[in-house]
Structure formats: C-alpha cells, structure tokens
Amino acid sequence: MPGNGGGARRYPPPLGAGSPAAPGLAPGAIRWGRARGSLPGMSDAPSPSKRQRRTTASLTALRHLAREAAEAGEPMREIARRLDLPWSTLTKWARKDGFRRQDIAARQAAAAKAQDEADHIRQQAELAARRTLLRDEEDEEESDEPFTPRSQTDEEITLARARVGALLEAGYIPEAEQDMRAARRLTSLQSFAAPVRAATEAATQQMRQGEMNAALYRAALQVCACWEEGDTPPDHLPWVVSATFQKRLAIAREVVRGFDPDDKGSDQELTELLLQLAAMGWFRNFHPLLREAITTLTLQGHHALAEKVGGFLKAEQAALPTLIQWCHANGYGYHGEP
C-alpha cells in the first residue's frame, strides 16, 4: 500500500501457529488471548473470603446475645470478636438498644437509687404494721374473749401486705409485684397446711404444756429435796408437795431480800436463781441454812424477819412426815433434814 514503503504491512503470526510456545505452556494453550486450559498453580490459589449473609432471625439473636453480654460486663471488643460482628454494626446496636457502657452505668445507678427508696418505704410500712399488731394484741389481752397469739406466718403475711400497699401508693409497681409474690407464696403454704393445722397446733400446745409441767414438777421436787437425777416427774403434784414448794420459795426470797434490801431484782429473777440452786442441791441443806440466817438476821436487827423464819421452821417440821410419806409411796427419797 502507498505510504508504507511500497510493501504490505506485516502482522505477527498468532500464538501457537508455528511460533514457539511461552515458557511453561504447551503449544496452542492460549489462542486469541484466552486460556484453553488451567494456568499452572491456578487451582491452588486461595479464593477471597466472603462473609455469608445472615438471616433476620440470626441477627436478632446475635443482637440479644450482644446486649446480654454487655450488661454482664463483657467488653465490646470481646463481644464483637466472639460473635464475629462488624464493629460498626455492634456500636449501632449498642446505641439504639442502650447497652453502651454509659447507658448501663446510668441504669444501674437509677436502679440502686430506686431500690434504696423502695427499701425505705418497706421499713416504714413494717414499722407502722408492727405498731398496729402490737396495739391489737394489747386490746385482745385486755378483752374478756379468749386470746390466741398470732403465729409468725400470719405476722409475716400481714407485714408483706403492708409493704405491698405502701409500695403501690408510692408508685413502685415492680417492687410491689415482687413483694406480692412472696406474700402469695406464704398464703399458699398456709392454705395447704390449713386442714391439719388445728390438729397439729393442739398437739404442739399439749406437748409444750407437758414439757412445762414436767419442768415445774421437777423444780418442785428439787426444792422439796425429793428429787434424784434420772427420776421421771409425776403427772401431777399433791397439795403437800405443791404447798411445801411454794412456801420454801417464798421464805427464801424474803431472807435474800432481808440481807440485801437494795436488791432491785424482780421476784421472777430471784425465783429463777433459787430454782438453779435447787438443781444443784441447795435445798437439801435448807434447814441448817435457815438457822444460820436466823442468827445473822437477829444480829443485824431484823428481829421480825428472824422470828418469821423461826415460825416457818416449826411449821415445816410438823408437815414433813406427810411429805416424806408421799415420797416413799411414789418412789422418791427425801434427802433433806428430817
């Protein structure tokens, strides 16, 4: 063609058409720029990783797990790593759902303040309820009707109801529901035990009364010097034992107070002390002790009391044969001075 030096334009021959093959390729492996076979090593080359698209249900579950972990105190970076979440996604959830660190701290502070206020309301309600219960008990004791002490369960239910009412009035609905569930549990248990409650209460009361009677009889026999360790107390005491018991305690209290007029102890406290002495065998030597007391009282100028103690000794000497006869008839030995 003209302009080309009088000769035709020369094109390079196509690859694979008589030209030497590229190193590592078989002749004709590439035609018109496209591979006819696999390049060496192409099957071993790693394919770029692709994040699988998660379903809505899966994302919702992950969002819930992320919030629970954050509220439990797990760091956000650890949550993102453990749940394989993009940082931007996790921070967006945290901002919308309110489980950023500052959000959690603010909720905890508000909850602690509300708990303190609710506890204060509970305490005030219990105090008012206890005052009401105490006033009702005093009124029942003063009335002529039979008085039945309130059980601990009944008292707890009354206090729980008072707390629920006070919390409701103050607007603490969740706290009131919590206390109400506890009260319902007690009432359910009480209702479940109601069919046998009367019978068990009667049996328990009878058992306690029997224990109290046994303790009283044991103390009376110890004061009367008719008791040995291991003996079984009787079902009832005859008048001679009961009279001796009461008279000995009365004269012993008078003697003790005569020696120490400034003693502010009550009769009950003094009686308990004398019963402890009786258990140690103090009344087995009662008559000699009273004779010593008469001498001391006379020297101190307490002539009236000394004379009263002397009269008591004479009266007891006259009553002792009947007491000793009862002891022998019922298997007890008299261990005092005859």
Side-chain angles (χ1 to χ4, degrees), residues 148-165:
T148 303
R150 184 178 286 102
S151 68
Q152 184 177 359
T153 303
D154 291 334
E155 182 175 341
E156 288 296 331
I157 292 174
T158 301
L159 295 178
R161 288 171 174 168
R163 291 194 300 266
V164 172

Side-chain angles (χ1 to χ4, degrees), residues 273-291:
L273 174 60
L274 292 173
L275 293 180
Q276 292 176 7
L277 292 174
M280 298 168 60
W282 187 75
F283 281 90
R284 296 185 179 187
N285 198 33
F286 191 46
H287 288 177
L289 290 173
L290 287 183
R291 293 189 184 96

Side-chain angles (χ1 to χ4, degrees), residues 122-172:
R122 290 187 180 101
Q123 293 174 1
Q124 295 299 316
E126 284 192 5
L127 181 60
R130 289 184 187 278
R131 289 175 179 172
T132 303
L133 291 175
L134 180 60
R135 185 168 57 251
D136 293 343
E137 288 180 357
E138 291 175 350
D139 294 341
E140 291 179 5
E141 289 178 353
E142 293 176 357
S143 67
D144 297 333
E145 299 294 330
F147 172 67
T148 303
R150 184 178 286 102
S151 68
Q152 184 177 359
T153 303
D154 291 334
E155 182 175 341
E156 288 296 331
I157 292 174
T158 301
L159 295 178
R161 288 171 174 168
R163 291 194 300 266
V164 172
L167 291 169
L168 282 176
E169 291 181 1
Y172 288 86

Side-chain angles (χ1 to χ4, degrees), residues 5-336:
R9 175 175 296 180
R10 296 179 179 273
Y11 294 94
L15 291 175
S19 62
L25 293 179
I30 296 178
R31 183 180 300 276
W32 307 115
R34 301 177 66 179
R36 294 180 61 185
S38 298
L39 294 173
M42 179 178 287
S43 59
D44 299 331
S47 60
S49 61
K50 294 182 180 179
R51 185 181 300 276
Q52 295 182 355
R53 186 175 182 86
R54 287 166 169 157
T55 63
T56 302
S58 176
L59 290 174
T60 302
L62 289 174
R63 192 168 182 168
H64 181 71
L65 290 174
R67 175 167 185 165
E68 286 186 344
E71 291 179 345
E74 186 176 354
M76 296 288 285
R77 293 288 181 184
E78 290 296 324
I79 297 173
R81 182 193 61 78
R82 182 168 59 83
L83 299 181
D84 192 20
L85 291 171
W87 180 251
S88 58
T89 300
L90 182 60
T91 53
K92 181 178 70 174
W93 289 352
R95 184 175 61 257
K96 289 184 177 180
D97 296 349
F99 59 86
R100 295 175 300 179
R101 182 180 300 176
Q102 58 268 32
D103 299 331
I104 296 174
R107 283 200 303 272
Q108 291 176 346
K113 181 180 179 181
Q115 184 65 38
D116 291 341
E117 294 175 352
D119 288 342
H120 179 71
I121 293 173
R122 290 187 180 101
Q123 293 174 1
Q124 295 299 316
E126 284 192 5
L127 181 60
R130 289 184 187 278
R131 289 175 179 172
T132 303
L133 291 175
L134 180 60
R135 185 168 57 251
D136 293 343
E137 288 180 357
E138 291 175 350
D139 294 341
E140 291 179 5
E141 289 178 353
E142 293 176 357
S143 67
D144 297 333
E145 299 294 330
F147 172 67
T148 303
R150 184 178 286 102
S151 68
Q152 184 177 359
T153 303
D154 291 334
E155 182 175 341
E156 288 296 331
I157 292 174
T158 301
L159 295 178
R161 288 171 174 168
R163 291 194 300 266
V164 172
L167 291 169
L168 282 176
E169 291 181 1
Y172 288 86
I173 308 301
E175 290 79 3
E177 290 178 345
Q178 179 182 356
D179 283 36
M180 183 179 65
R181 285 193 294 269
R184 282 181 174 174
R185 179 174 179 271
L186 288 176
T187 54
S188 298
L189 292 173
Q190 190 180 55
S191 299
F192 178 77
V196 296
R197 182 179 179 184
T200 54
E201 284 184 353
T204 302
Q205 185 66 24
Q206 185 177 3
M207 186 185 304
R208 290 176 180 173
Q209 188 64 40
E211 292 175 352
M212 291 176 59
N213 290 340
L216 178 62
Y217 299 156
R218 186 180 300 110
L221 294 174
Q222 288 170 343
V223 170
C224 294
C226 301
W227 179 260
E228 284 289 349
E229 189 65 30
D231 290 343
T232 301
D235 294 334
H236 67 280
L237 290 174
W239 65 269
V240 62
V241 179
S242 178
T244 304
F245 170 60
Q246 296 178 15
K247 290 177 180 178
R248 284 194 172 191
L249 284 182
I251 197 66
R253 284 197 298 262
E254 287 196 50
V255 172
V256 171
R257 294 196 185 281
F259 283 122
D260 189 7
D262 297 330
D263 186 7
K264 302 301 181 182
S266 64
D267 284 345
Q268 181 179 355
E269 293 172 342
L270 184 53
T271 300
E272 290 176 357
L273 174 60
L274 292 173
L275 293 180
Q276 292 176 7
L277 292 174
M280 298 168 60
W282 187 75
F283 281 90
R284 296 185 179 187
N285 198 33
F286 191 46
H287 288 177
L289 290 173
L290 287 183
R291 293 189 184 96
E292 293 178 7
I294 291 173
T295 303
T296 305
L297 290 170
T298 302
L299 292 175
Q300 293 180 353
H302 301 294
H303 300 289
L305 182 56
E307 184 177 353
K308 184 175 182 179
V309 175
F312 169 82
L313 279 174
K314 292 180 181 179
E316 185 158 287
Q317 288 291 338
L320 272 181
T322 305
L323 175 64
I324 295 174
Q325 182 182 2
W326 179 88
C327 290
H328 291 327
N330 290 273
Y332 299 103
Y334 178 74
H335 306 284

